[in-house]
Amino acid sequence: MRQRGLLALIFGLFIYGFNLFKVCFLLSANFALGRYKMPSISWSAVIIMILWLKPMEHFFSIQFPSFKSLPQGVLGDYWVIVFNLSILRVLSFNMDFYYHHKDIISGKDSFQRDCVKCGPEEDCLCGRARVAHPPISSTKSMPIQIVLKGEPNISSEYKSVTDNSMHWGDQIKMLGEKCVTLQMTAAECFSVDAYFAYVLYPPLLLAGPIMTFNDFSWQVFSPLKIKVTYCITYAVRWTLALLSMELLQHLIHVVAIKEARVLDKLSVHAVCYVSFWNLMLLWLKLLVVWRFFRLAALFDGIDCQDNMGRCMVNNHSVAGFWRGWHRSFNAWIVRYMYIPLGGSAKGHLNAWPIFFFVAIWHDVDIRLLSWALLIGLVLVIEGLIFKIEDKLKLRERLGAFLINQVHAATGALGMLVLSLINLVGYVLGLEETRRLASRIASESAVFVVSLFIILYAAVQLQISIRRWEVSRGVCKNY
Amino acid sequence: MRVSAGTGVCLFILVVTLAHSIYVIHRIQSIHGKPYFSFNNLIYIRGKEFPGPLSGQRLVPTFPQLSG
C-alpha cells in the first residue's frame, strides 16, 4: 500500500503540478476530520469543499498571483473540477472508517453482517460480501480467516452488482478451492498510505469510475485474477466505441448545429433529431472516457464497476436510467446516502437531498439544479405509479399482453420526459428545452402521434430485450 | 433470439426513423454549410467552421466535464 501511495503522489504531482500542495492540504484535513468518526463532520466538510472550492481558488489566485508562474501540471486551473471525484473518495474513506468503528462498538463483523445471502461467514460462497465489506480485524494481532468451501454459487443478483462475472467467477472458483487467510488489520487498511493510494489512484483519478474504499482495499489486499482475454475484449469494445464516436462526429455535426444557436430556424422534427443525436454523442463521449480509465485500472489488476450499463436509447424509466447511466456513482449514492437516509421505505423523501447533492457535486449551476429538481420530481411520480400498479394488482387484472401495452405507452411518455430532462441538464438548458417542449406541444396532431408511435416502438423493443435477458438468466434492475 | 412480428415492426420503425434523422441532419448541413475539421487532435480539440449562413462561428466542441 505504501508503494501505491507514493506512486499516486508522484502521478498527482504530474497531474496537479504545484496545486498538489493544495490538494494534499485538503486531503489531510479531511483525513484528520474522518478520525472523529462522525458522519456529520465528514459530510459538512465535503459540502463546504464542493460549494467553496471554486470561490476559494479564485480568491487564492488573486491574492497570490505569483503562484501561477509555478508549474500547474496537466490540469492547470481545471484541477478544481477533477478534484470533485476525489471528494467522493474522501467521503467513502471516512464513512467506511466510521462504519468499521460502528461495527466494532456493536460487536458485529462487517462481513458477517452483510453476507445476508449465504449466512455466516464460513458459508459465504457468493463473494457478495467481498464487494460490500472487507473483513477487517478489529485488533492488530487478530487476523481474519475466511474459509470458502464447496462449489461457488454466483447468483444473478450478484452478477448485476459486479457485471464482471466472466473473470469474477474464476476468482471465486479459485478461492473456493482453498482456505484464504487475510492478514489485514484496521490500522493497515485505514492508514494514511491507503488513504492517498485510494484517493489519488492514478487510473481512476481523472474521471472515475468511482470505487468505494472497501472495494478498493479488498482488491489491493487480495488481488483479483483478471483474465487477459477479458481485458483485450474490453479494449476492443472500447476501440469500437471510439470509432463509432469518430464516425458520428465526422458524418453529422450536431454539436456544431446546436452551438450555432440556429435551432429556432429549424423545423420541430429537425430540432428533435438534432437533440437526440446530441444526447447520443454525449453518451458516447462519456462511455469512451469512463471505459478508457476502467481499462487502465483493469490492466493494473483493479476491477471497478462499469458505468453505462445500457445504451442511452435503451431506457424508458427515470429510475432505471439513473441506475444504469453513472452506475458506479449510483452505487456510491446507495451506500452512503440512500440507505442511511431510510432506503426504499422513504424513497419519495430521500430523492430530494440525493439529487440536490448530485447537482451541486456536478457544478453549482442553474441548469443542473433544474435537472436535479425535475429528475427528483419525475422519480417520485414514477415510484407512486409503480406502487399504485402493485396495489391494484393491474398485472393480474389486465393480463400480460395488456399490461405490456400500458407499460409501453407510459414508457414512451417516460422516454420523452427523460430526453427533455437531460436536454435541460446537459445539452440545451432550461429555456431552450422549454421552447422545444412548447413547440412540440403546439405542432400538428400528425407530428405528435408519429412521435408517440416511434417512442412506443422503442419501448416495445426495450421490453423485448429485457425479456430476452431474463430468459438468459441476466437480471438487471435498470 | 426469436424476433416476433411485433418486434420486427418496431425495429423497422426505428431503423427508418434513424435513417430519416441522418437524412434531415445532412439536409441542414447542406443548407447551412459543412463544418471544417482540423485533425490536430483527434478528440479533444476539433475546430468547426461554418462557411455558409453560420460563417464566422468557430466552434470547438470539447469533452463535457470529465466528472460527467
Side-chain angles (χ1 to χ4, degrees):
Chain A
M1 212 42 130
R2 178 154 292 176
Q3 275 181 341
R4 278 184 177 274
L6 281 171
L7 272 173
L9 279 171
I10 293 166
F11 185 74
L13 193 63
F14 170 68
I15 292 292
Y16 288 113
F18 271 79
N19 287 320
L20 186 66
F21 289 111
K22 297 178 203 169
V23 170
C24 284
F25 169 74
L26 290 168
L27 294 182
S28 308
N30 275 280
F31 181 81
L33 290 173
R35 299 289 115 172
Y36 286 104
K37 300 170 195 121
M38 288 176 74
S40 54
I41 292 179
S42 300
W43 269 102
S44 304
V46 160
I47 301 284
I48 288 167
M49 269 202 295
I50 289 172
L51 293 175
W52 286 97
L53 199 56
K54 271 185 187 173
M56 286 304 288
E57 174 61 10
H58 183 65
F59 175 78
F60 187 84
S61 61
I62 292 169
Q63 291 297 315
F64 305 100
S66 55
F67 192 82
K68 285 277 174 195
S69 58
L70 297 170
Q72 298 289 302
V74 175
L75 292 172
D77 290 340
Y78 286 99
W79 76 270
V80 180
I81 293 167
V82 172
F83 189 69
N84 264 7
L85 276 165
S86 300
I87 289 175
L88 296 184
R89 296 192 196 104
V90 164
L91 194 70
S92 177
F93 181 90
N94 284 343
M95 288 301 288
D96 283 347
F97 182 60
Y98 162 72
Y99 288 150
H100 169 66
H101 180 72
K102 204 172 113 184
D103 288 338
I104 293 169
I105 289 173
S106 61
K108 286 179 185 173
D109 187 299
S110 303
F111 185 71
Q112 283 181 323
R113 188 191 64 178
D114 274 86
C115 196
V116 288
K117 193 159 187 69
C118 307
E121 65 183 63
E122 61 269 19
D123 295 333
C124 175
L125 298 174
C126 73
R128 189 181 172 83
R130 186 182 164 113
V131 167
H133 287 274
I136 304 158
S137 64
S138 50
T139 56
K140 198 165 184 172
S141 59
M142 201 174 75
I144 295 283
Q145 189 181 66
I146 313 164
V147 183
L148 299 173
K149 52 193 174 186
E151 279 300 305
N153 173 25
I154 302 164
S155 65
S156 56
E157 188 191 351
Y158 179 65
K159 279 180 187 173
S160 74
V161 171
T162 62
D163 235 12
N164 300 311
S165 50
M166 224 171 119
H167 52 83
W168 183 268
D170 291 342
Q171 176 70 11
I172 298 296
K173 209 171 266 179
M174 189 195 79
L175 290 171
E177 287 165 1
K178 59 180 182 179
C179 164
V180 180
T181 306
L182 292 170
Q183 300 285 344
M184 189 164 47
T185 63
E188 281 173 325
C189 192
F190 293 104
S191 65
V192 181
D193 302 333
Y195 178 67
F196 279 95
Y198 167 63
V199 176
L200 300 174
Y201 177 56
L204 306 180
L205 178 67
L206 287 173
I210 298 149
M211 277 181 98
T212 63
F213 174 71
N214 270 343
D215 192 7
F216 178 80
S217 62
W218 237 119
Q219 293 192 33
V220 169
F221 281 102
S222 176
L224 294 176
K225 188 185 171 190
I226 299 170
K227 275 186 177 177
V228 180
T229 48
Y230 176 80
C231 295
I232 292 169
T233 314
Y234 196 79
V236 170
R237 285 171 60 203
W238 177 80
T239 312
L240 288 174
L242 179 71
L243 290 175
S244 304
M245 190 178 75
E246 284 306 309
L247 187 72
L248 195 65
Q249 284 196 318
H250 189 73
L251 292 177
I252 54 174
H253 317 122
V254 283
V255 179
I257 294 169
K258 188 251 298 178
E259 292 293 327
R261 308 259 171 224
V262 290
L263 294 185
D264 285 342
K265 296 175 192 167
L266 304 175
S267 64
V268 176
H269 73 275
V271 177
C272 288
Y273 286 150
V274 170
S275 306
F276 167 77
W277 283 110
N278 263 295
L279 283 175
M280 274 304 285
L281 207 57
L282 176 80
W283 176 79
L284 260 175
K285 278 175 185 173
L286 292 172
L287 181 92
V288 167
V289 170
W290 280 327
R291 289 204 171 164
F292 174 78
F293 290 116
R294 180 168 183 263
L295 185 65
L298 279 174
F299 279 116
D300 187 40
I302 297 287
D303 182 6
C304 57
Q305 201 169 32
D306 205 358
N307 289 325
M308 305 290 197
R310 288 190 189 280
C311 178
M312 190 208 78
V313 287
N314 194 1
N315 288 289
H316 58 271
S317 78
V318 174
F321 171 80
W322 175 243
R323 285 189 203 116
W325 177 275
H326 200 161
R327 286 188 65 219
S328 58
F329 188 30
N330 180 57
W332 187 96
I333 289 279
V334 169
R335 183 169 165 79
Y336 300 113
M337 288 191 84
Y338 188 70
I339 293 172
L341 284 170
S344 56
K346 291 179 183 172
H348 57 292
L349 288 176
N350 59 27
W352 303 105
I354 285 173
F355 281 99
F356 180 72
F357 173 77
V358 171
I360 61 164
W361 175 76
H362 275 89
D363 199 3
V364 186
D365 178 49
I366 188 70
R367 271 161 68 144
L368 287 164
L369 287 173
S370 316
W371 170 84
L373 187 73
L374 288 168
I375 281 253
L377 187 68
V378 176
L379 207 62
V380 170
I381 295 169
E382 198 178 81
L384 279 174
I385 291 170
F386 285 137
K387 272 186 186 166
I388 291 167
E389 187 191 319
D390 278 348
K391 208 159 193 177
L392 297 177
K393 293 177 181 167
L394 285 182
R395 183 165 279 279
E396 286 85 20
R397 284 187 190 179
L398 296 176
F401 178 77
L402 266 181
I403 199 74
N404 278 346
Q405 308 314 308
V406 173
H407 279 170
T410 50
L413 194 67
M415 266 188 95
L416 184 65
V417 170
L418 199 53
S419 304
L420 289 172
I421 290 173
N422 284 315
L423 286 173
V424 169
Y426 297 102
V427 183
L428 297 177
L430 190 60
E431 189 49 37
E432 288 258 18
T433 311
R434 194 191 60 74
R435 271 214 296 268
L436 174 63
S438 59
R439 280 182 76 185
I440 290 173
S442 61
E443 267 297 308
S444 65
V446 177
F447 172 79
V448 176
V449 169
S450 58
L451 181 67
F452 180 78
I453 288 172
I454 292 163
L455 294 175
Y456 182 84
V459 179
Q460 284 286 12
L461 201 63
Q462 291 171 19
I463 291 170
S464 298
I465 291 169
R466 280 157 179 76
R467 236 184 265 146
W468 177 65
E469 284 175 353
V470 170
S471 71
R472 288 178 66 226
V474 179
C475 297
K476 293 181 179 177
N477 64 346
Y478 52 93
Chain B
M1 183 187 180
R2 221 181 83 237
V3 180
S4 66
T7 309
V9 171
C10 293
L11 209 54
F12 176 75
I13 292 171
L14 295 176
V15 170
V16 168
T17 309
L18 285 184
H20 185 239
S21 70
I22 291 170
Y23 166 75
V24 168
I25 289 165
H26 268 266
R27 284 267 314 206
I28 297 168
Q29 287 168 186
S30 65
I31 295 165
H32 292 284
K34 287 188 178 178
Y36 166 77
F37 287 90
S38 63
F39 286 98
N40 52 355
N41 185 321
L42 193 63
I43 311 165
Y44 290 95
I45 302 160
R46 175 172 293 167
K48 293 194 176 188
E49 284 175 352
F50 277 92
L54 308 177
S55 61
Q57 304 223 30
R58 186 174 171 80
L59 307 165
V60 186
T62 55
F63 268 83
Q65 284 180 13
L66 289 175
S67 53

